[in-house]
Amino acid sequence: MAKDILTRIKTEKKQNLKAALIDEFSVYSIADAQVARIVAQANISRGSFYTYFEDLYDAYEWVLELVMTEIHHDQVVNPFEATIRFIAGIEVNPYYDFLKKYYQVNESLFNTYLSHKATTNFATHTKQNLDTKLWLEMLVSHESIKEAFLQPDNTDQIINRLTTVQDLLNQKEGQ
């Protein structure tokens, strides 16, 4: 994960770095990203980049966690309702291009990177012991979001499916 020094830099510098990373990873896969473009846009030196991060994957992990934290900040209690609201507004999401590139290619690259890493803050929260219903809600929600990015013409169908699954789970719970 990002080095501790990153927590001590000025807010403006951190925001510039975040914007540069989002822009880079919105256009390029992690494999095709370049530190040179990132540091030029963020107006920092290459040495500063490596003072903050071990490598591009480390930088990606940092910015992905920021984006995911911001996206999940405004969630309602019901994961299906939050997912439906998210998918309905997906094309106006400020992270649309970043997330689309994540689902197209970076998710696979990043998961391979994480599998070789001993510990990670980002992956830790996904390994919680969840009850079956919550696990299913999370799985269906995340797969629906992925599908919405990869097949944007199917948004109505995806939302209808989410509503159906929610109704089925509620029926099962009521029995």
Side-chain angles (χ1 to χ4, degrees):
M1 190 57 187
K3 296 177 184 172
D4 206 29
I5 193 169
L6 191 55
T7 62
R8 298 189 301 267
I9 67 172
K10 292 181 183 178
T11 303
E12 182 180 345
K13 193 174 200 176
K14 194 182 297 185
Q15 289 302 321
N16 289 344
L17 182 56
K18 177 185 172 188
L21 289 168
I22 288 171
D23 287 351
E24 182 73 10
F25 294 125
S26 293
V27 176
Y28 301 98
S29 71
I30 300 171
D32 295 328
Q34 292 182 1
V35 172
R37 285 190 297 257
I38 294 166
V39 299
Q41 182 179 341
N43 198 26
I44 62 171
S45 70
R46 189 176 188 85
S48 290
F49 179 89
Y50 288 106
T51 299
Y52 306 143
F53 308 108
E54 292 291 325
D55 54 25
L56 282 167
Y57 282 93
D58 194 29
Y60 190 83
E61 182 175 10
W62 178 75
V63 77
L64 179 63
E65 189 167 329
L66 291 176
V67 168
M68 291 302 178
T69 299
E70 191 172 324
I71 286 171
H72 288 94
H73 176 267
D74 187 35
Q75 286 214 353
V76 293
V77 176
N78 183 317
F80 287 114
E81 294 302 322
T83 303
I84 289 168
R85 190 171 64 225
F86 181 83
I87 290 172
I90 206 165
E91 290 183 2
V92 296
N93 187 297
Y95 302 116
Y96 178 83
D97 292 331
F98 177 84
L99 292 168
K100 185 173 183 178
K101 184 62 72 179
Y102 172 78
Y103 286 116
Q104 287 175 333
V105 65
N106 285 331
E107 179 181 36
S108 177
L109 293 171
F110 188 63
N111 285 337
T112 300
Y113 162 77
L114 289 178
S115 71
H116 292 92
K117 206 172 168 192
T119 61
T120 177
N121 292 337
F122 181 74
T124 302
H125 81 275
T126 63
K127 295 179 182 178
Q128 301 167 358
N129 291 327
L130 304 172
D131 72 22
T132 303
K133 183 177 185 250
L134 183 55
W135 173 82
L136 181 60
E137 289 171 344
M138 288 176 58
L139 180 67
V140 170
S141 293
H142 288 125
E143 285 301 311
S144 297
I145 290 169
K146 180 178 183 175
E147 184 180 357
F149 276 103
L150 297 177
Q151 299 175 13
D153 294 339
N154 295 343
T155 301
D156 291 339
Q157 179 184 1
I158 296 164
I159 290 172
N160 287 336
R161 187 180 322 120
L162 277 166
T163 303
T164 301
V165 171
Q166 181 180 21
D167 291 344
L168 290 169
L169 284 174
N170 289 339
Q171 285 175 3
K172 178 78 173 162
E173 204 171 65
Q175 292 179 353

